[in-house]
Every structure is written in structure tokens, then in C-alpha cells.
Amino acid sequence: MTARLLVLLAGGGVAAWLIVLNFGALGAVAWRAEGLTALRGADWAAVRFTLIQALWSAALSVLLAIPIARALARRRFIGRGALIMLMGAPFILPTLVAVLGLLAVFGRAGLVNQGLEGLGFGRLNIFGLQGVVLAHVFYNLPLATRILLQGWATIPAERFRLGATLGFGPRENFRQLEWPMLRELVPGAFLVIFLICLTSFSVALTMGGGPRATTVELAIYQAFRFDFDMGRAAMLALVQFGLCACAGLLAWRVSLPSGLGSGMDRPVQRFDTGTLSLRLWDGALIVAGALFLLVPLALVALRGLPHVAGLPPEVWQAAGRSLLVALGATGVTLAMTLALAHAVIAVGPGRGAMLEWLGLAALAASPLVIGTGLYLLIRPFGNPRDFALVVTMLVNAGMALPFALRLILPGLREVVVSQGRLADSLGLHGWVRLRIVTLPRLRRSLGFAAGLTAALSMGDLGVIMLFAEREGATLPMQLYRLMTAYRLDDAAGTALVLLGSSLALFWLFDAWGRRFADA
């Protein structure tokens, strides 16, 4: 059997699994319901709220990220790399930990409300639309900042030199150099964040504050868990998928190439940032962004540290289950991503684009519908609750695959272009080629993708809420139960354990990738 055939078989197997995961699960739910059910007024209200909060969340995240990323791109200072890394922490943060951090700052007894009350003003209400948007901005602002910061790094240094010779100031540089880059990247960044917010579950569950602040994903959960209406849940999932598809098409039509071309990879030197007012402005933006993102994390750590030692045994048992789920999801994600990425390149541009789209389709799917579909498919062969952790692991792997594919596929294409002919001439194929040629050049991307998958899986609160019994809870589920039972001290300690576990997994995998990549 040739290496190409093996690649096609492996990629085809992953594609078939993704079809089952993203579409077969939805079909199983609709079949179990014996058709789709018409949506009610409350469901259309959830659709409207979902669109409103996703639009506000994505727009604010991107608009706030532009000046912060620009300030970071223009300045060099001691600790800049560490600050950028720390500012990216909220995106890999478990949602419930982020919620607890925001409550510590903006909640009824938080720092902001205490300050307002001391000045004689009324308290802010963090729940409802404003709370959901605030949590999503906190969660996605780092992602938007990192995307746009990479965009600034792609502007050739020669363009800034040319601008300096033409007497360009900050305004002219923005209009002629930075705006074309933003026009190319902002629609994609907006789309990714919009899709994340559109399929939000945990944020709406904890910050929504009532029926008026219900997202489509939360409505799907309610239809499953409380109304037992599979047909309505399937219909809501179709509506959600349609909204995501429309958003993707619109972003693709709006995005335009920057036309800046390529340079000689020289370090970027800016000639328009020397004035005191600009230095103060950039410094203020960087400090404000860092405070907004890091203060909630610091408060979670300070409030949880005294209570970690006294946590009940079930918390540590839940932590062990979450670790197993996270490691399993990471292994499955990397294996599927490598197989699918090789198949995308092997079949060529046309069919490869279809496979790539299939890999990215999970961004538009409902994790709860996927989990329920798998539940129904397993049911004829055994008690689905016995497979709750396995189903959670598989769904988490499928949800992380789009991010891993976008990280690994460009690097694999570069390996094929730069090393493919030499490897063919040396007769390197199959596992030998993968081990000697491909993996060493992908270790940085693999490490980052593994860390991202493990951290996101460690903090996921979604599918497990549908099926797990009390004795089978994961750490996020255990934290949610402690919060709803008003065991705040135990919740604070559990949040710190969850925060530390997620960050440790990300750091270990990412450091592994960087260390071996630099070896």
C-alpha cells in the first residue's frame, strides 16, 4: 500500500468521522424526534439575543484590540514578551474561572461597585446583556489582539522606511500601511470571535440572569434537559448553523487583500513614534489592557489560595477526570489534524478546500447537539451515561480541531514545498518521513495546538452537563455545583485549581514544542 493511499485513507477516515460528528449527530437528534419542531416565541427571542450579544461582543473585542495591538507593535520594552503571553491567558481560561474573576471586579461586591458606592453612586448590574458582552470581551480580546499583532508583524520594514522618507507621520502610516492590513485581517478576526460568541453556553448560563438573556446554545440545553423536545433542539441547531454559515460568507466577501507585498524580513523600525504624547498614549493603552485582563486573574488566585488545602475529596477526583479528558482530547485532536492536513495537501486545491472546510465546520456546530447525537447513537449498545467522559473527550477534540488545523496546516504546506522534493529523492515516505522530516518542523505548532486543546478541554462546561451523574463530574462541573450551592470558599479554591491546571497544561505543551523546535 503506497504512502499516498495511506494518507488518503487516514484523511478519509477523519473526514467521515467529522461528518458523523457535525452532521450525523444532528441527524440522529432529528430522527429521534421524528422530525423538526417549529420554534416558539421564546426561541426566536433567544436567536435575537444571540445575534445581538455576538455582534456587540465581536465588535467591541476587535475595536478595543486595534489600539492595544498597535501600541504593542510600536513599543519595545523589558518584559514585553511576557506581558503579551500573560495577556493571552484569558482565551485559554476556563469560562467559569473568568466569570469568577469578573465578578470579583465588577460584581455586586466587586472592586468597581465598592468604589462607586464609596463615591456615592449606584451599583452596576453585571448580569444580563451587559454581563454576557463583558465576559465575552474579556475572553476574546486577547485573541483579537494576538491576531492583529501578528498582522502588524507582516507589514514589511521597507514600507515604514519608505514612509519615513516621504515624511509620513502616525496618521499617514495608519492610512497607507496599517489600514490595508486591518482591512484584510479584521473581518476574519471578527468572524472567529462572532462564531465563538454565537455558540456560547457557559457565559450565558452563569451571566445571563434570566430568560431575556438566553442564547441559542442555552435554549438547546433547556430543550434537551428540561423539555425533552429533541425536534426543537435540532431546529435550533440548524438555525445556529445557518447563522454561522452566513457570517462566514459575509466575512469572506468583505475581506480584501492588503496589497502590501513582501519584504526582506528585516526588523521593523518605526520612525513615527518618538513624541512624548504618543509614548504616553501607547503606555496608557497597554497598562489599561493589562489591568482589564490580569486583575480578575490575580483576584481569583488571591481569593482561592487560602481554601485550596481544605477542598473536599470530590474536587480532586473531578480534577483527575478532567485531566484524563483533556489529555485524551489532545491526543485525538493532534492525530486527526495531522491526518486531515496531509489529506488536504494530497488531494489538491479543489477537494482539499472541501476537506479544510469540513475541518473548520465544527466552529458552526452545537457541542450540545453533537453530544446528544452521540448519546443517541451509543444508546443501543449500552448505557450512554457510562460513556459520558468518552463522549465529552470526543466532542472537545472535534471542537478544538479547527484551531489546531489553522495552526498546523500552513506549516505542513511549507514543509511540503521546502522539503518535499528532497524527501522524495531520498525515498523517505510514510512514518519515516513523518518522523524525520515533518514532525521536527511542526513541533512548535504541534506544541501550541496541544496546549490550546488541553487547556480548552480542561475548562469545558458543556456536554458533560447533559449526561454526567454527580459521581462522574469533571472539575468545571464541580465548580458550577459549588457556585450554585453558595459554597463560595470551596468554589474559590476549586477555581484556582482549575486555573492552575489549565495554564500548566498549556505551558507544558507549548514549552515542549518551543524547546524541541529550537533544538
Side-chain angles (χ1 to χ4, degrees):
M1 187 178 292
T2 64
R4 175 180 169 83
L5 184 57
L6 282 173
V7 167
L8 294 178
L9 287 176
V14 174
W17 168 244
L18 291 175
I19 291 173
V20 171
L21 199 68
N22 294 325
F23 305 106
L26 176 61
V29 173
W31 172 78
R32 173 65 176 79
E34 299 180 354
L36 302 175
T37 302
L39 300 185
R40 303 180 302 200
D43 298 325
W44 290 114
V47 172
R48 287 192 297 271
F49 178 82
T50 300
L51 286 173
I52 291 171
Q53 64 83 18
L55 287 171
W56 272 107
S57 300
L60 288 175
S61 297
V62 173
L63 289 176
L64 292 174
I66 291 174
I68 295 175
R70 192 187 191 203
L72 287 169
R74 292 196 297 199
R75 301 299 164 188
R76 295 294 182 270
F77 50 89
I78 298 174
R80 177 179 177 272
L83 178 62
I84 292 174
M85 183 185 68
L86 286 174
M87 289 177 66
F91 181 69
I92 62 171
L93 196 67
T95 305
L96 288 182
V97 176
V99 168
L100 285 175
L102 290 175
L103 288 174
V105 177
F106 300 99
R108 183 172 181 82
L111 297 179
V112 171
N113 274 326
Q114 289 180 7
L116 290 174
E117 192 175 45
L119 295 174
F121 296 101
R123 294 177 180 268
L124 295 176
N125 179 20
I126 196 176
F127 296 102
L129 175 61
Q130 60 272 23
V132 172
V133 171
L134 177 65
H136 280 154
V137 171
F138 174 79
Y139 196 68
N140 294 297
L141 178 60
L143 175 62
T145 301
R146 292 295 293 269
I147 292 173
L148 299 181
L149 192 57
Q150 290 297 318
W152 257 280
T154 63
I155 300 177
E158 291 79 9
R159 301 296 184 271
F160 287 108
R161 286 181 173 272
L162 179 60
T165 62
L166 296 174
F168 282 5
R171 184 174 302 178
E172 290 78 12
N173 272 334
F174 181 81
R175 186 170 64 249
Q176 300 296 333
L177 301 178
E178 296 169 328
W179 171 247
M181 177 272 298
L182 291 173
R183 186 181 59 187
E184 180 180 18
L185 290 186
V186 163
F190 179 90
L191 171 64
V192 170
I193 296 172
F194 180 81
L195 293 179
I196 292 172
C197 298
L198 202 67
T199 57
S200 174
F201 172 72
S202 301
V203 170
L205 182 67
T206 53
M207 303 291 287
R212 294 184 179 179
T214 297
T215 61
V216 172
E217 193 75 1
L218 187 54
I220 292 171
Y221 169 72
Q222 292 168 347
F224 279 139
R225 190 74 174 182
F226 302 113
D227 300 335
F228 306 104
D229 192 342
M230 298 287 188
R232 187 161 62 90
M235 188 65 185
L236 284 166
L238 280 177
V239 170
Q240 179 172 281
F241 193 92
L243 293 175
C244 293
C246 291
L249 179 62
L250 182 61
W252 175 73
R253 293 293 299 271
V254 171
S255 179
L256 296 172
S258 64
L260 292 173
S262 60
M264 301 178 66
D265 296 330
R266 294 173 176 170
V268 175
Q269 184 179 2
R270 300 293 295 265
F271 304 91
D272 59 338
T273 61
T275 64
L276 178 61
S277 60
L278 273 180
R279 288 200 297 269
L280 292 174
W281 172 249
D282 287 347
L285 286 172
I286 293 170
V287 170
L291 289 176
F292 175 67
L293 296 173
L294 299 181
V295 168
L297 302 186
L299 291 178
V300 168
L302 290 174
R303 295 190 175 187
L305 189 60
H307 307 291
V308 171
L311 289 175
E314 55 263 26
V315 171
W316 301 109
Q317 295 167 4
R321 295 186 200 99
S322 288
L323 183 61
L324 290 176
V325 170
L327 294 177
T330 301
V332 173
T333 298
L334 293 184
M336 290 196 305
T337 302
L338 284 171
L340 188 64
H342 277 88
V344 167
I345 295 174
V347 300
R351 295 178 180 177
M354 295 178 61
L355 285 177
E356 188 175 355
W357 177 87
L358 185 61
L360 300 176
L363 284 173
S366 166
L368 295 179
V369 172
I370 291 175
T372 303
L374 294 178
Y375 181 96
L376 295 173
L377 292 174
I378 293 171
R379 193 171 182 178
F381 307 99
N383 184 1
R385 295 189 182 276
D386 296 336
F387 300 92
L389 295 180
V390 176
V391 171
T392 302
M393 180 196 72
L394 292 175
V395 174
N396 286 341
M399 294 298 105
L401 190 141
F403 298 103
L405 187 64
R406 296 311 304 156
L407 288 168
I408 293 172
L409 183 58
L412 183 60
R413 285 193 172 114
E414 184 178 344
V415 171
V416 171
V417 171
S418 62
Q419 307 291 328
R421 295 181 66 180
L422 177 60
D424 290 338
S425 67
L426 295 174
L428 298 177
H429 301 288
W431 167 248
V432 176
R433 180 168 177 167
L434 183 68
R435 180 174 57 86
I436 296 177
V437 179
T438 304
L439 291 182
R441 289 164 178 80
L442 291 179
R443 276 176 176 155
R444 185 183 295 273
S445 298
L446 286 170
F448 187 80
L452 185 65
T453 302
L456 293 177
S457 182
M458 188 76 189
D460 177 68
L461 178 70
V463 178
I464 196 69
M465 289 286 288
L466 288 172
F467 311 124
E469 303 289 348
R470 180 171 296 275
E471 61 273 10
T474 58
L475 195 56
M477 186 175 179
Q478 191 67 37
L479 174 57
Y480 179 73
R481 286 173 173 169
L482 292 172
M483 291 171 60
T484 54
Y486 297 100
R487 295 170 58 182
L488 301 183
D489 289 345
D490 286 343
T494 303
L496 181 57
V497 172
L498 184 54
L499 170 63
S501 302
S502 300
L503 294 180
L505 284 173
F506 176 80
W507 181 82
L508 286 172
F509 280 115
D510 188 44
W512 171 85
R514 286 187 284 108
R515 180 167 66 89
F516 282 96
D518 295 334

